Amino acid sequence: KHFSDLGFYKVPFVRKHALCDGDLVVQKKLHATIIFASHLMSNVFCYEFERKALMDKQEFYGASRGKGVNYVSPNDIADMVVNAILQKTRKREAYLLLGPSTISDKQVATLLSEQLGTNITYVEKQLDFFDNNTASLEMIKAAGFGKNNIKSDTIRILGREAETFDDYLKATDRMSRIERKALSVRTGRVYLDGKHVTEEKEGEKKEESVGPAL
């Protein structure tokens, strides 16, 4: 119900998968655990058009109309998945994962600027710039999140607060190859297994621990 209240069932591919997930829960022979999540923080790196704009033009695109967006860290989702697999009592349940608070896309651009060490500009686009699924997600952003009195299951299940967008950007050791590559292009540092590699001389490399600032 809460996931429906957020408007995500209006997104074509989300509705299709949600109906499938519902069938899994109904089937008593299948011990399925369903995890619902809001907008992923990693989309800024994993959507090809966002990644290209970030890497080539130092721009971040959206159509949120200045509204606060609830972004959730993929790390929280991963931890929830592991918990569901290891805890037998979590079978045949459904969880809702949200970020700790709302944040505007302009604020996201500011965080990206700090992490990438260059100025990232948020550019407001018209909905026809996006494909149907992404446009539907942007419409949800533009509708705002503040009026929804919905609680996340993060603290109840994981026993900790949800990661902030800043936390996510600094946890480079948990990022995928695609995410780290996007960071590398702007910072000049290659991220491998929680360490960044900086070129010292031709044919030589020096490893350093990844710190909170790039």
Side-chain angles (χ1 to χ4, degrees), residues 30-34 83-95:
L30 296 176
H31 296 292
T33 297
I34 309 301
N83 183 280
I85 292 173
L86 298 180
Q87 299 294 328
K88 294 181 179 180
T89 57
R90 303 299 184 203
K91 293 180 179 179
R92 297 186 56 75
E93 294 187 15
Y95 302 111

Side-chain angles (χ1 to χ4, degrees), residues 5-12 39 47 61-71 105 122 124-145 148:
D5 290 343
L6 291 174
F8 283 96
Y9 281 138
K10 297 178 182 178
V11 184
H39 305 274
Y47 281 176
Y61 299 151
S64 53
R65 304 295 184 262
K67 297 294 180 64
V69 180
N70 188 279
Y71 284 103
D105 281 334
Y122 172 67
E124 186 80 15
K125 293 288 189 179
Q126 297 299 315
L127 289 176
D128 59 9
F129 171 82
F130 307 97
D131 62 47
N132 290 338
N133 287 309
T134 308
S136 297
L137 289 171
E138 292 299 323
M139 288 176 65
I140 295 172
K141 290 183 182 181
F145 189 86
N148 295 291

